[in-house]
Amino acid sequence: QSVLTQPPSASGTPGQRVLISCSGSSSNLGSNTVNWYQQFPGTAPKLLIYSNNQRPSGVPDRFSGSKSGTSASLAISGLQSEDEADYYCVAWDDSLNGYVFGTGTKVTVL
Amino acid sequence: EVQLVESGGDLVQPGGSLRLSCAASGFTLSDFGMNWVRQAPGRGLEWVSYIPSSSGSTYYADSVKGRFTVSRDNAKNSLYLQMDSLRAEDTAVYYCARDDQGKHCITLDCQTFYYYSHMDVWGKGTSVTVSS
């Protein structure tokens, strides 16, 4: 089951800034760091942001993350056509003793 | 190159069993906890199970608890998922993912820190279909 809530879709034109929210609770986002994954159809998820706001090597700096309390967000600045994908937030949940994923957000570049 | 390769996915009847494998290369499996994550057709990602680096306690999603068993053989650089009493709703692509966790010091004296955990390396997945 998805315990983290995301908007089902987000869109923007090339160059715009898109913001994706992720809402959780005290046992997950309120207690642990949040990570973000990017997934293209038919492929495995790719780590985009870890520990709230850290980018793995190779991830463009137009992707940024933040967290405050039980909410987190992923920002894509300077949106590009290749950013069209599904995005998931995820965090460890201390009550469930497991990772919980967000419901996923499909980003469309208009 | 750090790599994870899943295998063992198949078509199986409801109530049947299947064992998935995940072969690790390019890193020392015994240094990391490991996860299984699945994705049903057209659906989002769902965490399934976690096993620490040295086995011991294992963790499962409520949806598979009592039916799935995760295990590992560090000597063979392999992770496994034994799936019993399979149901139609278990139909999905199953991914294994490496777990990176630790303590990050914000100040030099580490008086301020946070714990982190994330799945940093993923395999390409193996498909499981449960149907009669």
Side-chain angles (χ1 to χ4, degrees):
Chain A
Q1 85 268 17
S2 294
V3 177
L4 304 181
T5 303
Q6 299 177 233
S9 63
S11 63
T13 57
Q16 276 191 329
R17 182 173 184 261
V18 169
L19 201 64
I20 300 171
S21 62
C22 174
S23 177
S25 66
S26 57
S27 61
N28 41 67
L29 296 188
S31 307
N32 300 296
T33 57
V34 66
N35 311 300
W36 291 88
Y37 293 86
Q38 178 189 57
Q39 186 182 34
F40 297 104
T43 68
K46 169 192 167 186
L47 182 63
L48 198 64
I49 297 287
Y50 67 95
S51 297
N52 303 333
N53 54 19
Q54 303 297 303
R55 280 186 308 277
S57 173
V59 172
D61 60 6
R62 44 201 190 75
F63 292 95
S64 62
S66 64
K67 192 191 83 163
S68 178
T70 59
S71 295
S73 61
L74 172 71
I76 309 174
S77 302
L79 191 67
Q80 298 184 7
S81 58
E82 56 260 38
D83 299 333
E84 196 161 280
D86 294 322
Y87 294 83
Y88 295 90
C89 57
V90 59
W92 185 266
D93 190 294
D94 291 337
S95 295
L96 297 176
N97 270 326
Y99 281 107
V100 287
F101 279 91
T103 46
T105 298
K106 182 176 182 59
V107 169
T108 302
V109 182
L110 302 170
Chain B
E1 181 194 2
V2 173
Q3 197 173 11
L4 295 170
V5 179
E6 303 92 339
S7 61
D10 205 347
L11 169 63
V12 61
Q13 291 191 339
S17 297
L18 206 57
R19 188 196 198 206
L20 304 184
S21 299
C22 171
S25 59
F27 68 99
T28 303
L29 185 67
S30 58
D31 288 343
F32 294 89
M34 295 294 294
N35 297 275
W36 286 99
V37 175
R38 68 183 181 183
Q39 187 169 34
R43 306 292 295 272
L45 298 166
E46 179 188 17
W47 173 80
V48 172
S49 180
Y50 167 77
I51 183 169
S53 58
S54 55
S55 294
S57 295
T58 52
Y59 303 84
Y60 301 92
D62 287 343
S63 57
V64 306
K65 204 172 290 183
R67 300 186 300 121
F68 289 12
T69 304
V70 63
S71 62
R72 61 193 297 158
D73 186 335
N74 290 333
K76 293 184 178 179
N77 282 329
S78 291
L79 173 74
Y80 307 101
L81 185 67
Q82 177 66 38
M83 304 187 296
D84 299 319
S85 303
L86 282 163
R87 307 166 180 167
E89 53 264 36
D90 296 318
T91 295
V93 173
Y94 285 74
Y95 299 99
C96 62
R98 190 176 78 171
D99 200 87
D100 184 16
Q101 56 180 253
K103 178 180 175 181
H104 177 81
C105 296
I106 297 174
T107 54
L108 284 176
D109 60 4
C110 213
Q111 289 296 305
T112 306
F113 63 90
Y114 61 81
Y115 293 103
Y116 65 86
S117 64
H118 54 266
M119 294 173 274
D120 63 343
V121 179
W122 295 60
K124 292 188 168 140
T126 187
S127 182
V128 173
T129 301
V130 184
S131 174
S132 54

